[in-house]
Amino acid sequence: MWQRWLWTIGLAAGTLAAQEKVIPLYEGPAPGSEDWTHTERESVSNLWNTRIVFNVSRPTLTWFAPDPSQANGTAVIICPGGAFFALSIDSEGHDVARWLAARGVSAFVLKYRLVKCETDDPTREIMTRGPLDQVVAPVVKLALADGLAAIRHVRQHAAEYKVHPRRIGIMGFSAGGTVATSVAYNYDATSRPDFVAPIYLAYHWVPREKGVPADAPPLFILAATDDPLRLAPHSVELYQDWTRAGHAAELHLYERGGHGFGMRKQNLPSDRWIERFADWLAMHGWMKPAGKP
């Protein structure tokens, strides 16, 4: 009996692994950072008490494919946060992707380019690098390019991923929310997201020279009022800019939740934020099977 149980567990693990595919975002070095030679690394012992990825120089997408019988044709590109020094790859990346894939959404976790770290602990190094605005500004532009390239890639390979080319969105957390919002401001016809979901974003880092686009996609915006980084007003400002321009947006502000909660459980109402995101997707019809393009 126990042999059969072990075989079943092994088969399930193998099936899960088969559903997760890592895809290089570019052929060869990423444009704009061709001379980068540092190597991507991971850490599980840090101030954030979670697994992080840092020194990303070769951007990738990790595809979490839904069961074909449940796939609804919607795709979400997920940008984890980490102040552009690291990526909180589980609670703001893979865990989100698995939750969405279990409900029929094709989820893609984006590893975008980051500041080069000089130490083994980006969570401590952030506090020693001086004003972050100047440090991250050059990398924000590269991460924006990665976000745009990710949408183009998924759209160009929509048939392969079994998604509808007009049901491709992008979401992000903290710095990843900055990436997602930067995409919402700076796309072209090939990289326009169909929806955008910034979660506790840092709005002041978003390049906004072009203003809110005339055909701007709908936004789902979420944060916590007690964010210790005081980023909740950033979400309010984004909501006001979007609605002032006449575009659709939904804003959720939890009283408590802090910053960087992602899929972590804190026994707070904010633990169920992703259900509100799914409600919003359903309201737009994106949780129902898509018709043919």
Side-chain angles (χ1 to χ4, degrees):
M1 181 70 179
W2 64 268
Q3 292 97 334
R4 181 180 179 82
W5 179 79
L6 288 175
W7 179 84
T8 302
I9 294 297
L11 178 62
T15 301
L16 178 62
Q19 291 176 333
E20 300 173 14
K21 178 182 179 182
V22 178
I23 306 149
L25 195 55
Y26 304 102
E27 293 184 6
S33 58
E34 292 88 349
D35 59 342
W36 287 12
T37 58
H38 46 281
T39 303
E40 180 180 312
R41 300 177 64 187
E42 284 192 7
S43 167
V44 294
S45 178
N46 52 70
L47 293 177
W48 297 347
N49 295 315
T50 189
R51 185 168 68 104
I52 61 172
V53 174
F54 62 103
N55 278 355
V56 175
S57 60
R58 298 292 181 98
T60 62
L61 286 170
T62 301
W63 177 31
F64 291 75
D67 186 297
S69 66
Q70 296 180 330
N72 55 34
T74 296
V76 178
I77 295 161
I78 303 163
C79 308
F84 291 102
F85 275 70
L87 302 176
S88 181
I89 201 67
D90 290 324
S91 71
E92 296 179 349
H94 293 183
D95 294 346
V96 180
R98 292 188 181 106
W99 194 96
L100 291 170
R103 289 154 181 83
V105 176
S106 286
F108 299 81
V109 176
L110 173 63
K111 290 183 181 178
Y112 52 88
R113 281 171 283 182
L114 303 170
V115 172
K116 180 184 177 183
C117 291
E118 305 296 340
T119 69
D120 293 334
D121 189 351
T123 65
R124 294 183 184 275
E125 186 173 333
I126 289 172
M127 299 182 288
T128 69
R129 295 287 290 268
L132 289 185
D133 291 2
Q134 299 176 11
V135 176
V136 306
V139 177
V140 169
K141 296 179 180 179
L142 297 177
L144 163 60
D146 297 340
L148 295 170
I151 292 175
R152 289 192 189 101
H153 172 85
V154 174
R155 184 161 286 141
Q156 290 169 359
H157 297 271
E160 174 185 342
Y161 298 130
K162 295 180 174 57
V163 302
H164 194 288
R166 293 302 167 196
R167 290 175 65 160
I168 300 170
I170 186 168
M171 73 184 306
F173 302 79
S174 193
T178 298
V179 175
T181 307
S182 298
V183 167
Y185 267 98
N186 294 281
Y187 56 82
D188 60 20
T190 66
S191 58
R192 180 186 180 276
D194 296 297
F195 56 88
V196 179
I199 313 297
Y200 43 81
L201 87 153
Y203 195 32
H204 62 299
W205 286 341
V206 173
R208 289 178 265 169
E209 294 82 1
K210 300 177 182 178
V212 179
D215 62 342
L219 298 186
F220 175 91
I221 310 166
L222 184 141
T225 302
D226 68 344
D227 187 326
L229 300 183
R230 300 181 179 179
L231 292 180
H234 291 223
S235 292
V236 175
E237 183 181 356
L238 172 58
Y239 173 82
Q240 291 174 330
D241 288 346
W242 228 247
T243 56
R244 190 179 295 118
H247 300 299
E250 181 164 315
L251 173 64
H252 294 258
L253 283 178
Y254 288 100
E255 179 181 343
R256 296 172 59 192
H259 184 80
F261 47 87
M263 296 294 283
R264 297 186 188 190
K265 299 304 178 185
Q266 304 180 93
N267 297 317
L268 293 170
S270 56
D271 292 352
R272 297 182 291 278
W273 71 266
I274 198 166
E275 296 174 17
R276 306 291 75 77
F277 176 54
D279 290 342
W280 182 77
L281 291 175
M283 179 187 71
H284 282 274
W286 293 319
M287 297 299 278
K288 296 180 180 179
K292 293 182 178 181

